């Protein structure tokens, strides 16, 4: 567990929370289809990139779809890496939609311009997939700094293409949400204020519309932790998270209503725990299909000091800030 906060530096998260956390319900099954990605972003807690080989196989995807038939869950949340580059992505989307599930695609936008993804936007629209698109800023310099040269231009073209397909347009029902991660070692600004800035700047300069902006705190694990270490900011950032701990966020944490599953079918309380190999307690060596949905509720959630990242300030989750009235 080398990626968690340094022992002895701060009060442990478990002690700070003052109680163990349990899953209250299961509303979202989040699948990480692997670590292969066309980008290698500096903030990526998955350490995804073009050289990664971890990929979900067809047999695993089918077992998950079979499990969903027997265990109805409202939402399937597909992530990676770039989930769209996995051969299982489209069968999972189609299968989940046939079951009446809401499907979310955590998209880096530039994947729409990959050689074998020419019809990706049309596929997403046809299956009414909710697109959750990463756009760290509305300025080219900040996006390219975090994600690589030319990424901003590709992202803007992708957003314009999605808008043309109906995404983000009033009354279309095609949901396009954007994700902001800070470029640097600080907490996100208030979500509502930043969303207003995004709406103004993207509409003014590019004619882009969207539904919501989600602000997500960078976790001090994996690639972002390495950046903090190299820039001598790790201890200050850890202290920032601890100093801004907000106990009001505990009941709204995504782990209270979500289960994360990796490309092999292993179980975790969230995607961050997955990247730290921190399994749901007492599930080591077992897979999703070894349990019913009911058996995954009221289980103790594995926590560590990295959990300060989700509970700092307005809080942070895959759906953005947990409180929108701070700041």
């Amino acid at each position: 567990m080398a990626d968690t906060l340094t022992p002895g530096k701060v009060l442990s998260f478990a002690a700070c929370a003052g109680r163990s956390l349990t899953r209250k319900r299961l509303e979202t099954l989040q699948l990480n289809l692997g670590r292969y990605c066309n980008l290698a972003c500096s903030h990526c807690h998955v350490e995804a990139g073009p050289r990664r080989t971890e990929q979900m196989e067809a047999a695993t995807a089918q077992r998950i779809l079979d499990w969903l038939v027997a265990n109805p869950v409202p939402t399937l949340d597909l992530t990676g890496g770039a989930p769209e580059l996995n051969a299982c992505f489209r069968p999972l989307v189609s299968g989940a939609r046939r079951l009446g599930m809401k499907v979310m695609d955590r998209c880096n936008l530039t994947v729409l311009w990959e050689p074998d993804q020419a019809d990706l936007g049309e596929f997403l629209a046809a299956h009414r997939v909710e697109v959750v698109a990463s756009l760290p800023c509305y300025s080219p310099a900040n996006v390219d700094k975090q994600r690589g040269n030319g990424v901003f231009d590709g992202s803007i073209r992708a957003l314009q293409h999605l808008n043309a397909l109906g995404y983000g347009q009033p009354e279309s029902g095609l949901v396009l949400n954007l994700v902001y991660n800070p470029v640097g070692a600080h907490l996100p600004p208030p979500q509502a204020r930043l969303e207003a800035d995004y709406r103004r700047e993207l509409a003014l300069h590019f004619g882009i519309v969207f539904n919501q902006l989600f602000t997500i705190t960078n976790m001090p694990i994996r690639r972002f932790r390495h950046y903090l270490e190299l820039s001598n900011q790790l201890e200050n950032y850890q202290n920032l998270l601890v100093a801004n701990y907000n106990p009001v966020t505990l009941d709204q944490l995504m782990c209270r209503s979500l289960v994360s599953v990796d490309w092999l079918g292993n179980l975790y309380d969230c995607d961050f725990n997955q990247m730290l190999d921190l399994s749901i307690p007492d599930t080591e060596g077992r897979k999703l299909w070894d349990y019913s949905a009911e058996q995954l509720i009221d289980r103790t959630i594995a926590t560590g000091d990295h959990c300060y990242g989700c509970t700092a300030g307005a809080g942070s989750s895959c759906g953005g800030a947990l409180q929108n009235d701070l700041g």
Side-chain angles (χ1 to χ4, degrees):
M1 295 300 296
D3 278 342
T4 58
L5 300 180
T6 305
K9 287 281 188 179
V10 299
L11 184 65
S12 73
F13 179 79
C16 192
R19 59 187 171 98
S20 62
L21 301 179
T22 58
R23 185 168 297 97
K24 299 186 293 184
R25 56 194 180 278
L26 181 53
E27 295 178 347
T28 300
L29 188 71
Q30 186 175 73
L31 301 185
N32 188 304
L33 302 191
R35 300 190 185 186
Y36 178 68
C37 187
N38 60 317
L39 300 178
C41 303
S42 63
H43 69 289
C44 182
H45 68 278
V46 181
E47 292 189 326
R51 297 182 180 180
R52 300 306 295 257
T53 59
E54 300 92 335
Q55 292 269 41
M56 182 174 288
E57 297 182 351
T60 302
Q62 186 58 56
R63 295 202 73 168
I64 291 169
L65 285 173
D66 292 343
W67 185 89
L68 288 169
V69 171
N71 297 273
V73 176
T75 299
L76 181 66
D77 186 345
L78 300 175
T79 185
E84 307 90 347
L85 297 180
N86 185 287
C88 299
F89 175 79
R90 298 195 187 202
L92 282 166
V93 169
S94 300
R97 291 296 292 145
R98 283 195 296 271
L99 294 174
M101 298 180 68
K102 171 184 173 180
V103 178
M104 302 169 65
D105 172 27
R106 296 195 177 268
C107 180
N108 69 26
L109 292 174
T110 63
V111 72
L112 271 72
W113 310 126
E114 289 296 299
D116 59 346
Q117 299 295 326
D119 65 337
L120 176 58
E122 287 78 5
F123 173 84
L124 296 172
H127 289 81
R128 306 193 73 76
V129 175
E130 179 176 317
V131 175
V132 184
S134 182
L135 189 71
C137 191
Y138 45 76
S139 74
N142 283 342
V143 172
D144 288 356
K145 177 182 178 182
Q146 188 180 84
R147 314 197 75 190
N149 292 334
V151 170
F152 180 80
D153 289 342
S155 298
I156 291 298
R157 288 192 295 116
L159 288 172
Q160 292 170 332
H161 177 58
L162 291 171
N163 277 175
L165 292 170
Y167 273 99
Q169 304 290 354
E171 301 181 10
S172 72
L174 294 175
V175 177
L176 172 61
N177 294 323
L178 304 183
V179 174
Y180 164 88
N181 292 87
V183 182
H186 53 83
L187 295 178
Q191 183 168 284
R193 187 181 71 196
L194 187 61
E195 181 178 293
D197 292 341
Y198 265 68
R199 288 193 189 282
R200 182 188 65 249
E201 296 299 317
L202 291 178
L204 177 64
H205 297 292
F206 308 106
I208 290 170
V209 295
F210 62 94
N211 294 93
Q212 289 182 270
L213 176 74
F214 299 153
T215 58
I216 298 181
T217 300
N218 289 328
M219 291 293 248
I221 62 176
R222 301 302 186 189
R223 192 174 289 154
F224 186 63
R225 181 184 177 92
H226 301 330
Y227 158 77
L228 293 171
E229 290 173 335
L230 289 172
S231 58
N232 295 315
Q233 298 181 82
L234 178 59
E235 185 171 353
N236 286 341
Y237 187 67
Q238 292 173 333
N239 290 336
L240 174 70
L241 297 180
V242 174
N244 285 276
Y245 168 71
N246 181 359
V248 175
T249 63
L250 291 176
D251 288 336
Q252 304 171 68
L253 294 173
M254 59 186 173
C255 55
R256 311 299 298 277
S257 61
L258 172 149
V259 164
S260 172
V261 178
D262 71 8
W263 53 93
L264 298 173
N266 298 311
L267 290 160
Y268 304 87
D269 292 301
C270 70
D271 199 47
F272 302 122
N273 281 8
Q274 184 182 141
M275 297 311 134
L276 293 170
D277 297 320
L278 188 61
S279 301
I280 293 178
D282 301 320
T283 66
E284 294 84 353
R286 304 183 73 185
K287 308 291 186 182
L288 171 68
W289 44 86
D290 293 323
Y291 298 88
S292 68
E294 190 67 27
Q295 290 173 319
L296 296 173
I297 301 172
D298 293 326
R299 298 181 73 97
T300 299
I301 292 167
T303 61
D305 293 335
H306 61 288
C307 299
Y308 281 112
C310 288
T311 56
S316 180
S317 75
C318 288
L322 301 176
Q323 290 185 283
N324 289 324
D325 58 350
L326 297 185

